[in-house]
Amino acid sequence: MTVMLIDDDSFILRVLTRQLRHLGLQHWGLSKVSACTDGQKALEAIEHGNSRIKLILCDLQMPGLDGVEMLRKLSEMRYPGALILVSGEDDRILHAAERLARALRLKVLGVLRKPVTEQSLSELLDRLSRESDSSRASVQTYSAAEVRNAIASEELINAYQPKVDVASGEVIGVEALVRWRHPRDGLLTPDHFIGIAEANGLMDDLTREVLSNALVQAVKWRQDGLDLSVAVNVSVKSLIHLDFPDYVAREAASAGVPLDRLKLELTESEVIRDVRTCLDILTRLRLKQIGLSIDDFGTGYSSLAQLRDLPFNELKIDYGFVHGACHDAERSAIVEASLNLARQLGINVVAEGAEDIDDWNYLRACGASQAQGYFIARPLPGAELPGWVATWNLRRPALLASAA
Amino acid sequence: MSRCPPLPAIDVEVLRAYLGNPDDDVLNEFMEAYRESARELVARLRDAATRAQWPEVERAAHRLKSSSSVIGAYALASACANLERAVGEGENSALRAMKEFDASADRVATALDALFTHSDAN
């Protein structure tokens, strides 16, 4: 299998070739290095030997065909191998190119700043084996009737992802995340059916189902001595019935969950059309002591204007800003500004996307109040939560002792 | 602005680290390759500057910046970065930045010549 290097500078190509050979190509299932100073020629070679090229290292800044055009062409020819972007440009350009490559469905292992060190190179090469295992799984599509039937026949269940207090490690609450227990295809995540539900007017029914399941579960936990707040996702688009707050309050009361232990996390996929109705509903929810979170803050329509106009008492910083923030100047600037914003507005803040120990330590260092993410826990079945809390309490002392 | 003591024109140890500690023969081979490549790029860059072909100057400076940092020619790499930026600011800035570039490029050329005269003598 070949690794192809594309850079307009032959000295740089020579250095990269030597580095790859010195690291040992065979560790990553590679056998040959092919170097190219011309993007156009490289493309021709890739097209002819398509399947034999396992990896391309491509410089962004080239005369003639530049790196971005190269990405577009690779995507057009459905290049199936992996890609590493290399550049002496600033990090913002490099990261924008990386996002573009992912959007074009290319398998990007990562980006390398020039000059490239052997260590950074071998770290990215290690991702090569992981990438090739996970082939691009195609998303099965379902019909509106199937989704409607799933809601009606109680095939939707909730998984629960814990949120913890960053300073004390205390478990504060959970976010309910819907899953479809499909009789044939197994447990499906929302990306398989939420779009279909939204497009076919099924979101109200779906939200009701999730809320009702979450309330039942919350009561079970209370009986086990776990007093957790429970958050349910609600699309702003579905806030069209003025009696929604009464409905939620009634459901919570009949289940036996105090209203101040219930939160609604609002996601927005488009501009709010009927501002009056939306404000009416949200304000009454708050008057009833139900919590309102602005979800995925900083992305899409989840914006400063919404924070100004709607009565949120919690802000959830999007995953995309939090994970990796300690290694990234842009992300950390955004996370810290969001924390400050929440502090000054006097509202609670949850950092989503705490995926590793670095994220956790970073959030502790910058004084985030609550965190959620794979580092703390993956979404769990409700019945497993008490067991997880016990394990978490064993992990807590070490996590709180680490440098903050 | 305070003046820092001048950086060494080149630092072979930087290249040695990038290449994973190779023996001196390999190291010399790469220094020679850099010398050739830099000679060509510097000539091309100066030629483009005299013809006021600034985009060409910028491209050459960008390439030379990358390769120079691999052999620890940090002053030259930084002069290249300044030149790239100056080209964007207009011809007067570019001409000023060329002075710094010329001086750094000459120092690197002298250092490389000395290195090879020295190794030839051994």
Side-chain angles (χ1 to χ4, degrees):
Chain A
M1 289 295 238
T2 303
V3 47
M4 175 174 268
L5 312 178
I6 310 168
D7 192 301
D8 61 325
D9 191 303
S10 53
F11 175 71
I12 294 291
L13 286 175
R14 212 163 155 165
V15 172
L16 276 173
T17 305
R18 152 85 200 182
Q19 290 177 322
L20 283 165
R21 293 231 163 89
H22 180 247
L23 287 168
L25 292 171
Q26 68 283 0
H27 294 316
W28 297 282
L30 300 165
S31 50
K32 194 172 155 234
V33 181
S34 145
C36 225
T37 52
D38 181 301
Q40 194 60 52
K41 290 212 178 87
L43 274 177
E44 284 161 25
I46 295 160
E47 206 148 22
H48 290 134
N50 216 332
S51 59
R52 298 194 53 252
I53 294 176
K54 188 173 180 180
L55 171 68
I56 298 172
L57 269 82
C58 179
D59 185 57
L60 285 181
Q61 176 78 288
M62 287 186 296
L65 192 78
D66 69 38
V68 171
E69 292 171 297
M70 175 69 79
L71 295 179
R72 206 189 306 133
K73 301 270 187 202
L74 286 174
S75 172
E76 280 166 12
M77 68 167 72
R78 299 181 171 274
Y79 162 68
L83 184 68
I84 292 176
L85 300 173
V86 188
S87 181
E89 297 295 343
D90 74 39
D91 283 346
R92 299 178 67 93
I93 297 179
L94 202 49
H95 287 141
E98 184 185 13
R99 279 193 290 276
L100 170 65
R102 290 192 207 285
L104 290 168
R105 298 191 146 277
L106 292 166
K107 269 194 263 177
V108 193
L109 300 184
V111 296
L112 289 173
R113 293 263 306 142
K114 278 184 172 179
V116 174
T117 62
E118 287 194 351
Q119 196 197 337
S120 58
L121 187 56
S122 83
E123 277 169 17
L124 285 192
L125 287 168
D126 285 339
R127 297 185 190 167
L128 197 55
S129 36
R130 268 186 278 159
E131 276 291 323
S132 44
D133 297 340
S134 60
S135 59
R136 286 184 254 183
S138 63
V139 175
Q140 166 85 39
T141 56
Y142 299 94
S143 70
E146 284 174 291
V147 176
R148 187 179 291 116
N149 181 57
I151 299 170
S153 54
E154 300 188 348
E155 285 173 10
L156 297 189
I157 56 165
N158 288 342
Y160 298 90
Q161 190 172 36
K163 305 176 201 178
V164 301
D165 182 280
V166 175
S168 68
E170 192 190 345
V171 182
I172 304 290
V174 296
E175 176 182 358
L177 295 156
V178 65
R179 301 285 184 262
W180 179 2
R181 196 162 40 194
H182 194 282
R184 184 187 64 224
D185 300 338
L187 202 60
L188 303 174
T189 49
D191 47 317
H192 290 89
F193 55 91
I194 289 285
I196 302 157
E198 275 181 339
N200 294 282
L202 300 171
M203 281 310 285
D204 277 0
D205 292 340
L206 189 145
T207 302
R208 281 163 200 257
E209 187 68 11
V210 172
L211 175 67
S212 138
N213 289 342
L215 290 169
V216 169
Q217 184 59 63
V219 170
K220 284 191 190 148
W221 288 327
R222 294 178 82 77
Q223 286 160 357
D224 288 339
L226 282 177
D227 178 17
L228 300 172
S229 77
V230 177
V232 170
N233 288 286
V234 175
S235 152
V236 169
K237 208 168 26 168
S238 71
L239 297 178
I240 43 174
H241 304 295
L242 287 173
D243 60 354
F244 183 69
D246 306 300
Y247 165 78
V248 174
R250 218 165 39 235
E251 287 283 299
S254 71
V257 175
L259 290 181
D260 64 357
R261 313 307 288 145
L262 183 61
K263 281 186 177 148
L264 302 179
E265 294 190 6
L266 293 157
T267 51
E268 292 165 56
S269 50
E270 58 185 66
V271 181
I272 298 170
R273 290 221 184 83
D274 185 352
V275 176
R276 212 166 51 178
T277 306
C278 184
L279 271 171
D280 187 308
I281 294 171
L282 294 181
T283 309
R284 287 188 63 229
L285 286 166
R286 283 296 300 129
L287 285 171
K288 293 180 188 296
Q289 306 304 314
I290 295 166
L292 291 180
S293 293
I294 180 164
D295 205 1
D296 308 328
F297 181 69
T299 67
Y301 292 95
S302 188
S303 69
L304 291 169
Q306 307 298 10
L307 199 54
R308 177 195 62 199
D309 296 335
L310 303 174
F312 292 109
N313 64 337
E314 183 176 270
L315 177 162
K316 292 190 86 178
I317 309 175
D318 188 67
Y319 159 98
F321 301 123
V322 176
H323 175 52
C326 65
H327 312 294
D328 184 303
E330 279 97 35
R331 286 172 208 208
S332 60
I334 292 166
V335 170
E336 283 157 40
S338 305
L339 291 174
N340 256 321
L341 183 63
R343 207 171 290 135
Q344 294 194 20
L345 293 172
I347 64 178
N348 186 43
V349 57
V350 182
E352 295 182 280
E355 295 228 325
D356 54 34
I357 184 82
D358 288 349
D359 295 338
W360 173 259
N361 285 334
Y362 169 76
L363 291 171
R364 279 176 60 74
C366 62
S369 56
Q370 293 174 20
Q372 178 180 348
Y374 282 8
F375 177 71
I376 299 153
R378 289 174 175 267
L380 305 161
E384 288 178 19
L385 208 90
W388 174 82
V389 172
T391 323
W392 171 254
N393 284 335
L394 295 175
R395 269 176 87 193
R396 260 167 84 175
L399 294 176
L400 300 181
S402 61
Chain B
M1 206 165 75
S2 67
R3 292 261 163 216
C4 298
L7 292 164
I10 57 176
D11 185 348
V12 182
E13 293 314 308
V14 171
L15 177 63
R16 199 192 295 276
Y18 277 122
L19 297 182
N21 211 14
D23 61 33
D24 286 353
D25 285 348
V26 174
L27 213 54
N28 278 336
E29 193 189 304
F30 275 86
M31 287 308 269
E32 184 67 60
Y34 170 80
R35 182 154 75 149
E36 257 172 56
S37 146
R39 205 184 269 150
E40 187 228 313
L41 276 172
V42 169
R44 189 194 300 179
L45 191 154
R46 283 177 171 153
D47 177 55
T50 55
R51 290 181 292 114
Q53 296 291 315
W54 299 112
E56 174 72 27
V57 169
E58 197 178 352
R59 273 197 293 276
H62 185 81
R63 267 181 63 183
L64 195 56
K65 178 180 72 179
S66 292
S67 52
S68 298
S69 48
V70 177
I71 63 141
Y74 292 130
L76 179 56
S78 140
C80 288
N82 290 339
L83 182 55
E84 271 189 278
R85 198 166 38 240
V87 166
E89 290 165 4
E91 188 155 286
N92 287 337
S93 293
L95 287 169
R96 268 197 303 278
M98 275 304 290
K99 292 201 181 109
E100 182 201 4
F101 171 82
D102 280 330
S104 308
D106 288 344
R107 284 185 62 219
V108 168
T110 310
L112 285 168
D113 289 345
L115 187 78
F116 281 100
T117 319
H118 178 70
S119 57
D120 289 347
N122 280 334

